[in-house]
Amino acid sequence: MKTPLKLAVQKSGRLSDASLNLIKECGITFPTRIAKLKAHAFNFPMEFLYLRDDDIPGYVADNVSDVGIVGENVLLEKGVNLEVIERLGFSKCRLSIAVPKEFEYHGVQSLQGLNIATSYPNILGKYLEKQGITAAIHEISGSVEIAPSIGLAEAVCDIVSTGITLVSNGLVEVETILESQAVLVSRPDLESEKRQVLEQLLFRIRSVQTANNSKYILLNAPNHSIEEITNMLPGMRSPTVLPLAQEGWSSLHSVVKEDDFWEVIERLRGAGAEGILVIPIEKMIL
Ligand code: PRP
Ligand code: ZN
């Protein structure tokens, strides 16, 4: 058995479920009760470390963990030197400046001289400096959204995902500083044996991601449309075409990208396709 690759994941919160779900989709099984700090995967040379997201970059940098799944917001705030191996496409959020809805905001200049509460002093500091704004940054570790109502600050800089937290605290978003999502990070100096395990993991992650972004599509079409439809649905190499029992008709099987889906469906119908079935794909190896 290879030396296990240590992967740090968030114990609970924004990234936790999606991170563990991705690992499961990669066919890696592990104890489901996160009662301990550490757990071994049952069928893959990997060990999990369940940590607070804010601690993950530091633990990876300090060799406690080899790789980690963390938000770009946390990574950037900590400013540690790690290699971003892959952007994972989940836990999307943004870091924004918000003010009470009564505030008369006329662009970044309105932030001049204010007190701004945040858990992201480094990112905010750099942003304000770039904008040529001088403001007092008050670092607080949580519940940033209540700072204006208790008189601690006139503005906040915080993570926004659905926007519910802002609305329910009477705040409006005025500037977006950073768009963030979950990333897989690694120490830059990973030993070759661990790098091999990481490559294996990455291969699986990419197969899952490609599959999630694609659908298997089956349809019936008159034979004279097959060429036209083949051009619309190139699939992995080319579509499978099977004759139907009914003379002059065929069944076409292919793969379509989730993003192009609705547009392609319209065009397929225009070309005479019918009985269109669209099925999720679990894994996809290109
Ligand atoms: C962030 C932020 C808000 C909330 C915004 O906290 O501080 O409280 O999420 O999300 P919404 O726009 O969907 O309402 P987070 O969950 O990251 O917790 P943490 O700051 O304790 O890590
Ligand atoms: Zn956090």
Side-chain angles (χ1 to χ4, degrees):
M1 189 78 164
K2 290 185 176 134
T3 328
L5 180 76
K6 283 183 261 175
L7 170 72
V9 291
Q10 190 188 30
K11 189 166 47 182
S12 68
R14 181 175 300 281
L15 295 107
S16 180
D17 288 349
S19 304
L20 293 177
N21 220 5
L22 174 65
I23 301 299
K24 269 183 219 153
E25 285 185 302
C26 289
I28 298 170
T29 53
F30 49 90
T32 41
R33 281 287 306 133
I34 309 178
K36 289 186 293 185
L37 171 72
K38 273 194 203 180
H40 273 279
F42 296 127
N43 59 356
F44 196 75
M46 201 156 92
E47 197 175 284
F48 296 89
L49 299 178
Y50 301 112
L51 304 168
R52 287 199 52 220
D53 62 343
D54 308 42
D55 294 336
I56 291 176
Y59 277 135
V60 175
D62 294 344
N63 246 327
V64 176
S65 190
D66 301 309
V67 293
I69 296 178
V70 70
E72 291 171 303
N73 53 319
V74 173
L75 186 62
L76 213 72
E77 178 62 25
K78 299 297 170 190
V80 291
N81 178 30
L82 298 177
E83 203 178 316
V84 174
I85 303 291
E86 186 87 346
R87 301 183 91 201
L88 299 172
F90 60 79
S91 297
K92 290 191 176 167
C93 63
R94 51 196 187 271
L95 182 66
S96 293
I97 297 180
V99 295
K101 55 182 189 301
E102 311 75 37
F103 191 104
E104 285 195 35
Y105 190 80
H106 307 289
V108 272
Q109 284 307 323
S110 299
L111 301 172
Q112 189 68 39
L114 297 189
N115 296 291
I116 309 177
T118 189
S119 308
Y120 296 84
N122 294 323
I123 300 177
L124 176 61
K126 284 198 188 109
Y127 173 80
L128 293 175
E129 195 185 320
K130 217 169 128 202
Q131 300 290 332
I133 302 290
T134 311
I137 298 174
H138 294 262
E139 182 178 355
I140 47 180
S141 58
S143 305
V144 170
E145 61 277 0
I146 64 165
S149 61
I150 59 171
L152 178 72
E154 294 88 34
V156 300
C157 170
D158 200 12
I159 292 299
V160 183
S161 168
T162 59
I164 290 172
T165 304
L166 291 186
V167 171
S168 53
N169 287 279
L171 301 170
V172 286
E173 203 174 343
V174 290
E175 304 291 342
T176 299
I177 299 191
L178 174 78
E179 302 273 357
S180 171
Q181 60 177 271
V183 289
L184 178 67
V185 292
S186 165
R187 322 188 242 117
D189 54 345
L190 216 56
E191 303 81 339
S192 79
E193 204 172 307
K194 288 188 171 179
R195 190 158 284 277
Q196 273 175 34
V197 181
L198 177 59
E199 289 300 328
Q200 260 180 295
L201 174 67
L202 198 58
F203 175 76
R204 295 191 186 193
I205 288 177
R206 288 184 178 148
S207 305
V208 169
Q209 284 184 316
T210 316
N212 286 347
N213 190 26
S214 306
K215 298 277 180 261
Y216 192 72
I217 182 166
L218 301 89
L219 57 87
N220 295 331
N223 286 344
H224 62 81
S225 302
I226 289 176
E227 199 183 325
E228 189 184 355
I229 295 180
T230 300
N231 290 332
M232 294 178 202
L233 291 176
M236 303 237 259
R237 188 177 292 276
S238 70
T240 307
V241 180
L242 303 164
L244 289 190
Q246 186 184 336
E247 189 76 24
W249 282 75
S250 296
S251 167
L252 236 107
H253 301 198
S254 192
V255 167
V256 62
K257 281 231 161 50
E258 175 102 75
D259 303 339
D260 308 338
F261 179 71
W262 290 111
E263 193 213 330
V264 172
I265 296 291
E266 294 289 310
R267 290 167 51 216
L268 290 173
R269 292 181 67 218
E274 56 183 59
I276 304 173
L277 297 182
V278 176
I279 299 168
I281 299 172
E282 199 177 298
K283 308 280 187 303
M284 191 162 152
I285 321 307
L286 296 172

